[in-house]
Amino acid sequence: MSSTESTEAAVADPAPTVPAAGATADGETLRTVSLPGLSLTVRSRAPRADGRAPALFVHGLGGSSQNWSALMELLADEVGGEAVDLPGFGFSPPPDDGDYSINGHARAVVALLESERRGPVHLVGNSMGGTIATRIAALRPDLVRTLTLVSPALPELPPQRSAWPTALASVPGLPRLYARATRDWSTQRRTHALISLCYGDPSLISAEEFAEDAREYERRLALPYFWDAMVRSTRGLVNAYTLGGQHSLWRQAERVLAPTLLVYGGRDKLVSFRMAARAAKAFRDSRLLAIPDGGHVSMMEHPQLVARALRDLLAEDHRVDDAPLDRS
């Protein structure tokens, strides 16, 4: 089946893509968690039962758990970090019900957290993953100890022009036209276009990293459900933008009780830097890390800066835990 044919049709029986559980070449561990109606691949760097505070990392649209590898390595001494492949992304197969809405992705993450029973976690999300994390923090505060959002995809109307092509992927018929128009593109050209969109400074990518990214992109393009997961998730995100009342994402941001770290890049082509001020006001207990040269994936482009800010957030959380009780 070609990518064009699979763009808007769900695949009933996708080929298995989850690698064998165990250690990877870079010292990470992949495991599969089977849950009702879905199967999730989870990436980690260290044993889970060592007493460190648990953290869960949620990637954005078109991403995977691998987006968090650099940041998890820098924080390995501080938290028991794990990153999830959302349904239909990375090595996780599509959900049985084909639900790629923000609520559907959020339910998948909540199901994972509840099945693991690790207590409230330090929840970290990027882009669409930030949208998912915001909804979880608002509706299930018992599951979230702190919240970190890297370029969260919260409603921005109108969006900046560089984000229009991504939003247009939700329009019926357009993904099919795009797939047809780009069918002759090489994997290298596709990878370069994606990196240019997501990074503030694409030159930071080494030749070795680019080659690895291209290989992974080629693997995922070959999946029969790749375009379906992308298109349906994009529609789910756009639909979430239109919700009002108590379901509004900005209203839910105001309901978040967890201490929140916001990370925004000055060169972000998908989430405007101007949204940082609005987010800082919406989240009641927020602190802001602004990275002037950063793009949409600052945890990959500037992992040291993000790790330092996250450590500061964790230190604040520890001080709250250690504070004496006021018995007056």
Side-chain angles (χ1 to χ4, degrees), residues 120-146:
V121 301
H122 298 292
L123 187 60
V124 186
N126 167 238
S127 191
M128 182 181 75
T131 311
I132 295 165
T134 297
R135 181 149 290 178
I136 294 172
L139 301 180
R140 291 295 305 272
D142 58 305
L143 296 176
V144 181
R145 185 163 182 171
T146 68

Side-chain angles (χ1 to χ4, degrees), residues 191-192 194-210 213 267 269 293 295 300-302:
T191 304
H192 183 270
L194 182 61
I195 289 174
S196 296
L197 180 65
C198 292
Y199 274 67
D201 183 3
S203 69
L204 294 176
I205 297 288
S206 68
E208 293 77 10
E209 290 171 329
F210 182 88
D213 290 343
R267 295 182 179 178
K269 300 180 183 70
D293 296 334
M300 302 171 67
E301 192 173 10
H302 299 285

Side-chain angles (χ1 to χ4, degrees), residues 185-316:
W185 283 22
S186 66
T187 303
Q188 288 72 23
R189 182 177 178 183
R190 294 179 187 275
T191 304
H192 183 270
L194 182 61
I195 289 174
S196 296
L197 180 65
C198 292
Y199 274 67
D201 183 3
S203 69
L204 294 176
I205 297 288
S206 68
E208 293 77 10
E209 290 171 329
F210 182 88
E212 181 180 353
D213 290 343
R215 285 192 295 270
E216 173 62 10
Y217 201 171
E218 187 171 25
R219 179 192 72 81
R220 291 164 65 181
L221 277 171
L223 296 174
Y225 52 83
F226 172 83
W227 286 107
D228 190 58
M230 282 289 294
V231 171
R232 290 175 184 264
S233 292
T234 303
R235 288 175 183 165
L237 183 59
V238 171
N239 288 340
Y241 276 24
T242 66
L243 297 177
Q246 64 179 347
H247 301 294
S248 162
L249 288 169
W250 284 114
R251 181 74 62 84
Q252 291 184 342
E254 294 170 354
R255 293 172 55 185
V256 172
L257 300 176
T260 302
L261 169 64
L262 302 167
V263 182
Y264 282 83
R267 295 182 179 178
D268 194 331
K269 300 180 183 70
L270 293 170
V271 172
S272 175
F273 185 72
R274 71 185 183 199
M275 301 308 293
R278 181 172 182 180
K281 293 179 181 178
F283 291 90
R284 65 180 70 189
D285 184 7
S286 68
R287 61 279 296 140
L288 173 64
L289 170 62
I291 305 178
D293 296 334
H296 191 60
V297 288
S298 290
M299 73 287 188
M300 302 171 67
E301 192 173 10
H302 299 285
Q304 293 86 358
L305 294 178
V306 178
R308 188 183 309 156
L310 218 161
R311 283 182 183 276
D312 289 343
L313 177 67
L314 298 176
E316 290 182 42

Side-chain angles (χ1 to χ4, degrees), residues 21-146:
T24 64
D26 53 6
E28 294 181 326
T29 298
L30 297 177
R31 62 189 178 90
T32 299
V33 179
S34 296
L35 299 165
L38 72 157
S39 178
L40 298 175
T41 297
V42 178
R43 181 183 302 266
S44 60
R45 291 203 63 87
R48 304 174 62 241
D50 61 359
R52 289 172 303 160
L56 184 68
F57 300 81
V58 186
H59 65 79
L61 181 67
S64 75
S65 60
Q66 197 169 6
N67 294 163
W68 299 104
S69 293
L71 185 60
M72 286 202 299
E73 182 176 8
L74 291 172
L75 295 171
D77 64 321
E78 183 83 22
V79 298
E82 295 189 326
V84 62
D85 283 332
L86 292 170
F89 293 92
F91 287 105
S92 292
D96 289 353
D97 60 5
D99 186 356
Y100 289 107
S101 67
I102 293 300
N103 281 340
H105 283 309
R107 281 194 294 268
V109 175
V110 167
L112 175 65
L113 291 173
E114 290 182 331
S115 71
E116 303 285 84
R117 296 183 179 179
R118 300 176 71 196
V121 301
H122 298 292
L123 187 60
V124 186
N126 167 238
S127 191
M128 182 181 75
T131 311
I132 295 165
T134 297
R135 181 149 290 178
I136 294 172
L139 301 180
R140 291 295 305 272
D142 58 305
L143 296 176
V144 181
R145 185 163 182 171
T146 68

